[in-house]
Amino acid sequence: MFSHLRADWRAIYRNDPAAQGLQPLLYPGLHAQVLHRCLAHPLYNLGMFFLARLVSEISRFLTGIEIHPGAQIGPGLFIDHGHGIVIGETAVIGEDCVLFHRVTLGGTGKHGGKRHPTIGNNVLIGTNATLLGPITVGDNVKIGAETVIIMHDVPSNSTVVGAPGRIVKLNGQRLERKLDKTVEPLGLA
């Protein structure tokens, strides 16, 4: 847990040129992550669901960031201007990811079990992006502001923009392609 918090702290300095000295102690994104990592998620894992949810609701009230206590978050997450972020119960976020404000990692309401996105490592998700359903986003992905991805996987090493989301860059090559059933989690079929 503490190694993850150290990685979160380092991620602030790596991703925010305005971060100086002890200023990150004032970042609501860091507050939300500390409450999630130190209290809400451990309580959830112990089966103390009411207390876990109470902590997450207090965190949401204080920070404007809603992280369900069941969400799994890797080290090095940087939440920049985090107000309005929603991270669902079965969401999984890999290492060294960046989320800007108003990002939603949500469900569609049509699935049981795993119903929220799985985000790979080194993924940047822009302002007001919406990712819905049990989708997989590969490693080294950039998702543009206001992009909407519903029920379609995103391959590694790609850039996705628009509503609906379309891949505009894959493995360093520019292209125009809508996300569709031909897209595999780690590449194109």
Side-chain angles (χ1 to χ4, degrees):
M1 170 177 50
F2 292 110
S3 65
H4 283 33
L5 290 171
R6 268 193 305 277
D8 297 341
W9 180 264
R10 280 188 239 120
I12 292 170
Y13 290 105
R14 184 175 59 248
N15 291 290
D16 187 356
Q20 297 177 6
L22 296 176
Q23 287 178 2
L25 290 174
L26 304 174
Y27 283 36
L30 184 62
H31 301 162
Q33 288 169 254
V34 168
L35 288 168
H36 177 77
R37 291 191 195 284
C38 297
L39 291 173
H41 193 65
L43 288 168
Y44 182 88
N45 288 338
L46 291 171
M48 303 174 84
F49 302 120
F50 178 80
L51 288 176
R53 190 58 186 238
L54 179 62
V55 170
S56 76
E57 290 299 319
I58 291 169
S59 176
R60 181 173 63 103
F61 176 78
L62 294 173
T63 66
I65 299 167
E66 183 175 342
I67 305 173
H68 190 283
Q72 298 175 42
I73 299 174
L77 175 65
F78 175 56
I79 296 175
D80 197 13
H81 305 287
H83 190 78
I85 285 179
V86 177
I87 301 173
E89 179 182 21
T90 63
V92 177
I93 300 174
E95 298 180 12
D96 300 321
C97 293
V98 176
L99 303 180
F100 287 94
H101 60 286
R102 295 180 56 186
V103 165
T104 298
L105 304 178
T108 63
K110 298 179 180 181
H111 300 91
K114 175 71 171 132
R115 58 192 186 281
H116 300 99
T118 297
I119 308 299
N121 299 323
N122 194 36
V123 174
L124 182 142
I125 303 177
T127 300
N128 206 35
T130 302
L131 287 70
L132 300 179
I135 64 174
T136 300
V137 174
D139 296 336
N140 308 309
V141 170
K142 293 178 182 167
I143 297 173
E146 298 191 9
T147 297
V148 177
I149 303 170
I150 302 173
M151 293 304 303
H152 296 290
D153 292 338
V154 177
S156 291
N157 306 308
S158 62
T159 300
V160 180
V161 299
R166 65 189 182 285
I167 299 169
V168 295
K169 197 173 202 182
L170 180 63
N171 296 320
Q173 302 279 352
R174 296 189 68 75
L175 52 106
E176 288 286 329
R177 183 183 187 114
K178 285 189 177 186
L179 291 176
D180 57 27
K181 297 293 182 192
T182 64
V183 176
E184 296 294 325
L186 299 176
L188 296 174

